[in-house]
Amino acid sequence: MKLDVIRIQFGKDATNGLLFINGVFECFTLEDEVRDVKVMSETAIPLGEYEIKLRTEGGFHTKYTARYGELHKGMLWLQDVPNFKWILIHTGNTDSHTGGCLLLGETQQDLDKGKDGFIGGSGDAYKKMYPKVANAILSGEKVTIKYSNIDLAPKVDNLAKDHVILADVIDRKFDTIIKELKNLKKIQSRKIN
């Protein structure tokens, strides 16, 4: 199973994103802000791809077992994140709830409206997403999550490529069209005479 977090908005204190499972949109995400130098519990997860495993110990595990009962099989835990430890996927609403982890939500507030970001319906998003991922892990499937930034900028260069229409190609096409129009005009004038 492949999860993708596509970061779409970068704020002063938070980062908005979208979560996809096997290429299908699942929910919104919220993380801490992106930083060049890590600040503990205040930095987004580095770009890259990480395996997810279940963590069946610790405070979050105990809390989520009580909250979600039999649904909960262990915390979704990202492996081998450079300079990070105990990175989880969990519920929460603002960047103050992330602690460097990934939060899930059914709704998402524009970061221009609030520096801390806000996602709503976090519990609902978690209950919808969690069994899909946990069951895949429990069935022995390798589950990964890849973090990337949205890239809407067109790739433009000045080198001749198949995707670039050169001016001389356009000129030749116009010449051909003009020639065909002149031929059509001759044919039409013969029919009139």
Side-chain angles (χ1 to χ4, degrees):
M1 176 179 281
K2 183 173 177 12
L3 282 67
D4 284 286
V5 173
I6 311 290
R7 293 173 173 149
I8 59 171
Q9 191 177 30
F10 305 87
K12 182 181 176 206
D13 287 326
T15 304
N16 280 342
L18 306 170
L19 176 68
F20 295 83
I21 297 179
N22 293 330
V24 177
F25 175 74
E26 180 70 20
C27 62
F28 297 100
T29 65
L30 183 69
E31 299 174 76
D32 280 312
E33 65 272 26
V34 173
R35 296 175 186 266
D36 292 332
V37 177
K38 181 184 182 222
V39 174
M40 187 166 180
S41 298
E42 289 293 329
T43 306
I45 297 152
L47 298 178
E49 189 166 1
Y50 310 101
E51 186 172 359
I52 299 174
K53 293 187 177 180
L54 294 175
R55 178 172 162 76
T56 56
E57 58 188 15
F60 265 103
H61 174 64
T62 302
K63 184 166 82 171
Y64 277 53
T65 298
R67 181 184 296 171
Y68 295 110
E70 290 188 23
L71 173 75
H72 184 72
K73 310 294 184 201
M75 296 304 299
L76 301 176
W77 177 28
L78 280 64
Q79 304 296 297
D80 303 316
V81 179
N83 302 314
F84 285 72
K85 192 173 183 182
W86 314 125
I87 300 301
L88 307 173
I89 299 173
H90 59 85
T91 62
N93 298 110
T94 70
D95 94 305
S96 64
H97 299 143
T98 64
C101 296
L102 181 70
L103 304 182
L104 308 177
E106 290 287 309
T107 64
Q108 184 174 70
Q109 181 185 53
D110 187 322
L111 289 176
D112 291 338
K113 295 182 179 183
K115 70 178 185 67
D116 293 330
F118 181 84
I119 53 174
S122 187
D124 290 337
Y126 186 82
K127 287 187 284 188
K128 185 178 106 182
M129 177 276 230
Y130 178 86
K132 296 172 189 175
V133 177
N135 290 337
I137 294 169
L138 289 170
S139 71
E141 188 176 342
K142 183 175 181 178
V143 177
T144 62
I145 187 166
K146 182 178 180 182
Y147 287 79
S148 56
N149 297 335
I150 194 163
D151 184 9
L152 297 177
K155 304 287 189 252
V156 178
D157 59 38
N158 63 352
L159 303 175
K161 301 223 170 87
D162 291 340
H163 70 278
V164 178
I165 299 175
L166 302 173
D168 64 324
V169 172
I170 294 172
D171 285 343
R172 285 196 306 269
K173 287 185 186 258
F174 276 133
D175 289 343
T176 302
I177 291 169
I178 291 169
K179 190 183 220 180
E180 289 176 11
L181 286 172
K182 286 180 181 177
N183 287 339
L184 287 173
K185 187 175 179 182
K186 283 180 188 176
I187 293 169
Q188 188 63 29
S189 65
R190 281 189 221 140
K191 286 184 179 182
I192 294 174
N193 296 333

